[in-house]
Amino acid sequence: MNTDINHILVNGARIAFNKMRRAQSFNARLYYYAEIGVYLEVSLSHGAGITQESNEQIDEIYKQATHFHMSENKRSRLVS
């Protein structure tokens, strides 16, 4: 059971990040960014069977998503 929740969280964050990278609008990117944030928050739950490894993987995905989101926002302001 512990493995299931860890796979769900990590894969969910990965899927959201991939969708975020393909998103065509600010609102869509923001939605997926927030979704990754939720996965990160859940991964911080103690006693829920979330492993440290899963938490670290999701944290890394969140950091990558933050960098991507900020870069895209900067790029879109320069283009406008």
Side-chain angles (χ1 to χ4, degrees):
M1 180 66 174
N2 290 348
T3 303
D4 292 343
I5 189 69
N6 288 290
H7 284 301
I8 290 167
L9 292 174
V10 172
N11 289 335
R14 284 183 183 145
I15 290 167
F17 185 46
N18 287 332
K19 288 181 178 181
M20 181 184 162
R21 289 189 291 193
R22 290 192 309 265
Q24 299 296 310
S25 71
F26 172 83
N27 287 340
R29 281 193 310 272
L30 188 60
Y31 174 85
Y32 293 118
Y33 182 68
E35 187 175 346
I36 295 165
V38 170
Y39 285 114
L40 180 60
E41 286 293 321
V42 171
S43 77
L44 296 173
S45 300
H46 297 288
I50 312 302
T51 64
Q52 183 65 31
E53 180 183 354
S54 293
N55 177 262
E56 290 169 0
Q57 288 176 358
I58 296 168
D59 185 52
E60 181 58 33
I61 293 167
Y62 185 76
K63 288 176 184 174
Q64 291 174 10
T66 299
H67 178 74
F68 178 81
H69 188 55
M70 292 173 69
S71 296
E72 286 296 302
N73 288 343
K74 183 177 181 180
R75 186 185 64 76
S76 67
R77 279 181 279 174
L78 293 175
V79 171
S80 298

